[in-house]
Amino acid sequence: MPGILVLATTKDGRLTRDTLELLTGASRLKEKLAQPVAAAVLGTGLGLYVPLLFVHGADQVYRAEHPLLEGYQGDAYTLALHQICERAQPTVVLLPGDVIGRELGPRLAFRLQAAFVSEFIDFDLDQTSGGLRFTRSAYGGKAMAVVQPRVDTIVATAKLRTLKPAPQEEGRTGEEIRVDVALDASQLKTHLVQRVQEEATGINLGDAKVVVSGGRGVHGPEGFRVLEELAQVLRGAVGASRAATDAGWVPPSWQIGQTGRNVSPELYLAFGISGATQHVAGISGSKHIVAVNTDPAAPIFKVAQLGIVEDWKAVATTLIQRCRELTEK
Ligand SMILES: Cc1cc2nc3c(=O)[nH]c(=O)nc-3n(C[C@H](O)[C@H](O)[C@H](O)COP(=O)(O)OP(=O)(O)OC[C@H]3O[C@@H](n4cnc5c(N)ncnc54)[C@H](O)[C@@H]3O)c2cc1C
């Protein structure tokens, strides 16, 4: 039976939050299309993830174990996922809107002769044709585009942090399908030479409830030390604009925006960030945005609920001091 297929990604014995978000999208699609939800999990030692996928909404799990699938590799994943799709015959394949989905999506769509929809934020059924329509942002978030594929098979990446993670339903189970993928090292055109694990300290940016972000207006890497201190007292994570990451003040993985990460914290604090559309595209899921900028005409004030026209450092250091006083009481 045709269905909805989600690519599951895992980390340290858990399903990633991205996967849980895709499962939410898949269960909404299940309601609209009346088709089951399947998940594909690729790698080695995958046994523990199968029941987790069931309790989070998968009706079937395609489990592909192969040493060449240990760790993401574009060629190997494309070949394996294509083989799973040939077996599962999905009508919609959902991938995360990150570097994996951006690489895999078009490659898989080409092989399946499917339509490719990138970074959708919503979907519904067209009243007239009954076909699926996806909404995605266009022109760096300045406009919304509605895309209706003309073919029956669709590969789509979901913009991360726009869907809520799928809740857990204890006792839920499903069908596990083992797939013996035919993969050979000679089929891989690129080889992973080295995997560099960035030193992860503190709270993950994508999961943080508070994000303290800095831009060019912070005037250098030492400014980010102050923002790190503030993030620490607020139990949050530090992000940055592309101007700050391009300048080498902070690692590229801290970049938020169209070509960086999407964040959806309860509180987003923007220090010395002008609010270019490409930056704002990554923070639109934030519940409250507070901006500090010396320029009263800065575009960030158009999206902020609270705007402070002031030097960033004066505000950041006052906040650190005041939060410390409150927590030490
Ligand atoms: C294809 C494409 C993709 C892009 N993707 C991204 C992306 O993913 N993320 C991203 O961020 N950008 C992205 N950009 C870049 C984006 O267009 C902007 O150039 C960038 O966001 C600007 O960063 P900024 O706000 O830190 O710097 P600026 O625009 O230079 O703003 C600095 C701000 O700091 C303020 N300021 C200066 N001094 C102080 C002070 N002492 N206290 C308080 N405020 C002060 C200034 O008034 C100014 O508003 C992309 C661009 C392109 C073309």
Side-chain angles (χ1 to χ4, degrees):
M1 184 180 179
I4 302 129
L5 182 75
V6 164
L7 172 68
T9 49
T10 61
K11 195 160 187 251
D12 305 331
R14 288 183 298 130
L15 298 174
T16 59
R17 176 174 163 161
D18 304 352
T19 301
L20 299 182
E21 291 180 11
L22 292 184
L23 284 166
T24 294
S27 61
R28 277 184 53 204
L29 276 170
K30 179 180 173 174
E31 279 169 32
K32 290 189 189 296
L33 303 177
Q35 292 180 7
V37 172
V41 61
L42 285 61
T44 55
L46 302 171
L48 75 160
Y49 302 113
V50 177
L52 289 177
L53 287 162
F54 290 144
V55 296
H56 284 99
D59 301 304
Q60 295 167 322
V61 174
Y62 288 86
R63 173 177 170 186
E65 302 243 6
H66 197 291
L68 290 175
L69 297 170
E70 195 172 341
Y72 176 75
Q73 205 279 3
D75 291 337
Y77 264 56
T78 306
L79 291 164
L81 201 52
H82 183 216
Q83 289 174 39
I84 291 171
C85 288
E86 282 186 323
R87 178 132 172 218
Q89 296 288 313
T91 46
V92 185
V93 181
L94 292 184
L95 304 172
D98 62 2
V99 282
I100 293 180
R102 280 176 207 140
E103 181 184 16
L104 270 185
R107 296 177 76 177
L108 186 65
F110 173 76
R111 281 169 175 76
L112 297 173
Q113 294 296 291
F116 177 61
V117 179
S118 70
E119 309 249 344
F120 71 82
I121 51 172
D122 201 6
F123 53 81
D124 61 6
L125 288 185
D126 180 59
Q127 297 298 327
T128 322
S129 66
L132 266 176
R133 302 188 319 175
F134 294 85
T135 305
R136 59 187 300 276
S137 79
Y139 302 110
K142 282 201 174 101
M144 289 294 165
V146 178
V147 185
Q148 182 164 4
R150 287 203 204 131
V151 292
D152 292 335
T153 311
I154 301 161
V155 176
T157 60
K159 187 173 159 93
L160 297 173
R161 306 300 172 260
T162 53
L163 292 161
K164 291 214 172 334
Q168 194 162 319
E169 201 185 311
E170 280 313 330
R172 205 178 173 284
T173 185
E175 181 191 7
E176 179 182 339
I177 301 159
R178 296 288 284 252
V179 185
D180 291 323
V181 286
L183 264 186
D184 187 278
S186 65
Q187 293 171 291
L188 313 188
K189 297 187 196 79
T190 53
H191 295 277
L192 189 65
V193 180
Q194 193 189 10
R195 194 182 297 277
V196 182
Q197 184 74 37
E198 193 187 326
E199 211 178 301
T201 48
I203 297 160
N204 181 299
L205 193 52
D207 302 329
K209 292 213 166 20
V210 178
V211 173
V212 179
S213 220
R216 204 191 317 264
V218 159
H219 301 297
E222 52 297 329
F224 276 88
R225 303 294 83 83
V226 180
L227 297 185
E228 280 177 272
E229 209 180 323
L230 178 59
Q232 203 184 8
V233 291
L234 293 173
R235 297 194 188 89
V238 186
S241 72
R242 181 155 151 186
T245 56
D246 278 357
W249 299 345
V250 290
S253 60
W254 291 20
Q255 186 190 315
I256 292 169
Q258 189 187 324
T259 44
R261 309 271 299 264
N262 291 321
V263 292
S264 54
E266 299 282 316
L267 177 63
Y268 185 79
L269 289 159
F271 290 96
I273 293 177
S274 60
T277 52
Q278 296 90 352
H279 185 82
V280 171
I283 63 170
S284 52
S286 307
K287 204 159 178 192
H288 304 286
I289 298 174
V290 175
V292 184
N293 197 306
T294 43
D295 176 8
I300 190 81
F301 290 133
K302 291 200 179 115
V303 293
Q305 280 82 31
L306 183 66
I308 305 169
V309 182
E310 184 54 274
D311 173 61
W312 75 272
K313 200 169 182 181
V315 177
T317 46
T318 308
L319 268 176
I320 294 170
Q321 197 188 343
R322 193 71 190 109
C323 289
R324 288 231 163 94
E325 282 165 16
L326 287 169
T327 49
E328 279 160 16
K329 265 185 188 166

